[in-house]
Amino acid sequence: MKIRMIGAALAVAALTAVPLTAQAATQTTQPYQHLVVGKNWGSGGTYVATGGDIKLNLTTLEKNTKVFVERCEGADLGDVQTFTKKKPSHTLATGVEKGECFVVLLAQVTGNGGYVVKGSLSY
């Protein structure tokens, strides 16, 4: 009887640990490229979080770029970050729940012409 109870307890513990491990394993990084056309906020894409942090690293950055991340509906997920050649990478939001829809918004800090930013987005 005691052996069955220990086995059942271990099985329950194993089942509760699986979602956390699976969630960490689903974190994805993908190439990121968007056209920044002005000082007004423009969409840099809509995504569904796999759970965890949202990080953006811009490898080509002709001008300073402001990036902001917000939920598709509801409150904002992160503060405005200004990407520069000295700071090309930022964590835009932390602890985002799996399945959360979010939008990345970009605007240029200086200049009037359009330019493409390239890099990687992890979420």
Side-chain angles (χ1 to χ4, degrees):
M1 186 64 96
K2 285 185 180 180
I3 294 174
R4 274 192 189 166
M5 292 177 71
I6 291 171
L10 288 174
V12 169
L15 286 174
T16 57
V18 168
L20 296 175
T21 306
Q23 182 175 344
T26 59
Q27 192 80 13
T28 185
T29 298
Q30 67 178 40
Y32 186 81
Q33 177 174 316
H34 272 88
L35 176 65
V36 182
V37 292
K39 294 181 182 177
N40 294 326
W41 291 105
S43 176
T46 304
Y47 305 89
V48 176
T50 55
D53 298 345
I54 299 171
K55 299 175 185 176
L56 184 59
N57 179 40
L58 299 180
T59 52
T60 62
L61 193 61
E62 290 82 1
K63 302 171 185 178
N64 291 353
T65 304
K66 293 187 290 183
V67 178
F68 179 59
V69 60
E70 66 178 15
R71 288 182 171 90
C72 294
E73 295 181 12
D76 301 328
L77 280 172
D79 296 328
V80 174
Q81 301 287 345
T82 302
F83 288 72
T84 65
K85 292 190 180 204
K86 291 183 180 178
K87 281 194 89 175
S89 182
H90 290 283
T91 298
L92 301 175
T94 57
V96 181
E97 291 184 22
K98 183 177 181 178
E100 182 79 61
C101 173
F102 67 94
V103 180
V104 177
L105 301 172
L106 300 97
Q108 55 187 280
V109 175
T110 59
N112 295 317
Y115 60 95
V116 174
V117 291
K118 297 178 183 178
S120 60
L121 176 66
S122 302
Y123 60 93

